[in-house]
Amino acid sequence: MAVYFMGDMFDFWYEYKMVVPKGYTRFLGKISELTDMGVEVHFFVGNHDLWCGNYLEEECGVILHREPQTCEIYGKLFYLAHGDGLGETDWKFSCLRRMFHSKLLRRLFSMIHPRWAVDLGLTWAKHSRMKHDMNGGEPFKGENEEPLILYSKAYHKEHPNINFFVYGHRHIMLDLMFTHESRILILGDWINEFSYAVFDGETVFLEQFVEGETHLSE
């Protein structure tokens, strides 16, 4: 059994040498409980938690992924990624992304005291989320405009054996079959949709959590 987190599990995450952000205790505790039981927990770094260091690996036992991964699970080939930056052509977004991935800027940010640095990061994340919500979220752009779909189709031409492309990042739920054997799934989010995906060994189901109910068979 394995669990895959597709990124942006935190509003903002930044690790100093001896300090990590306050909060998330129950989430981190549950991850640790799973890994202690022998469950593989894979964590794909998203644009909100891209500054992960080794804390989650050493303290919680997760397997951290900073790049997309292709893996075989029960005979099916998966392409797994957070999705940030894949297929994007907007130059403003590209510049901002390069800034956030800059090692120099990361070192400079580390010089700010955590009291102000973490507050700055959380404020930025809150502003971004509020702007997203005020605009009604970014709607599905259509099969011919959605960056992750365009990226997946282009990648599939060079890697035709992939059965499932699975992404986070975009706050939409999408299950698109674009060939007889290949599908693209965007998982939505856990804030508004309470959505996730389950692989039963043969196919993938996109589900929504309802308190008191479960779609998983015992």
Side-chain angles (χ1 to χ4, degrees):
M1 181 178 179
V3 176
Y4 294 82
F5 293 112
M6 304 312 297
D8 287 352
M9 303 308 297
F10 311 101
D11 273 339
F12 173 74
W13 183 268
Y14 190 85
E15 295 176 29
Y16 290 82
K17 185 176 181 179
M18 301 296 292
V19 177
V20 296
K22 175 184 177 182
Y24 313 114
T25 304
R26 292 182 182 277
F27 175 64
L28 296 176
K30 181 56 67 174
I31 290 178
S32 300
E33 181 182 337
L34 290 173
T35 57
D36 286 347
M37 293 168 57
V39 177
E40 283 190 6
V41 176
H42 297 259
F43 191 105
F44 285 77
V45 173
N47 50 295
H48 281 256
D49 35 39
L50 61 92
W51 284 341
C52 284
N54 56 11
Y55 179 84
L56 295 177
E57 293 175 294
E58 293 182 355
E59 297 294 328
C60 302
V62 308
I63 302 170
L64 200 67
H65 300 286
R66 302 183 186 278
E67 301 292 338
Q69 299 289 316
T70 300
C71 60
E72 183 177 328
I73 307 175
Y74 293 116
K76 300 293 185 179
L77 203 59
F78 285 75
Y79 182 87
L80 304 171
H82 172 64
D84 175 47
L86 300 183
E88 293 284 354
T89 58
D90 182 79
W91 69 270
K92 292 182 181 179
F93 174 85
S94 298
C95 289
L96 187 62
R97 190 171 186 274
R98 282 197 294 270
M99 288 175 57
F100 286 151
H101 283 263
S102 168
K103 292 182 179 179
L104 174 60
L105 292 180
R106 180 173 178 174
R107 283 195 290 268
L108 292 174
F109 190 82
S110 296
M111 297 178 183
I112 306 174
H113 190 281
R115 169 62 183 84
W116 297 287
V118 174
D119 186 61
L120 174 63
L122 289 172
T123 300
W124 180 295
K126 181 179 179 180
H127 173 74
S128 176
R129 186 171 66 250
M130 289 179 61
K131 182 179 178 181
H132 181 273
D133 292 341
M134 286 177 62
N135 293 332
E138 189 174 0
F140 177 54
K141 298 178 181 179
E143 186 173 343
N144 296 322
E145 297 290 337
E146 194 67 43
L148 288 176
I149 295 179
L150 298 177
Y151 172 84
S152 300
K153 289 182 176 180
Y155 192 88
H156 185 264
K157 290 180 180 179
E158 302 296 327
H159 306 84
N161 293 327
I162 294 178
N163 302 111
F164 302 104
F165 291 84
V166 182
Y167 303 105
H169 189 51
R170 291 282 279 117
H171 292 237
I172 59 174
M173 292 179 63
L174 176 72
D175 185 351
L176 174 68
M177 178 168 282
F178 66 99
T179 75
H180 182 65
E181 296 289 339
S182 301
R183 287 163 58 195
I184 299 170
L185 294 104
I186 302 178
L187 302 182
D189 62 48
W190 195 253
I191 299 172
N192 298 310
E193 304 291 349
F194 304 103
S195 51
Y196 61 99
V198 178
F199 178 54
D200 67 355
E202 182 62 33
T203 190
V204 177
F205 300 92
L206 195 57
E207 304 280 12
Q208 288 179 284
F209 175 80
V210 178
E211 189 172 1
E213 299 181 11
T214 178
H215 297 280
L216 298 177
S217 59
E218 299 294 338

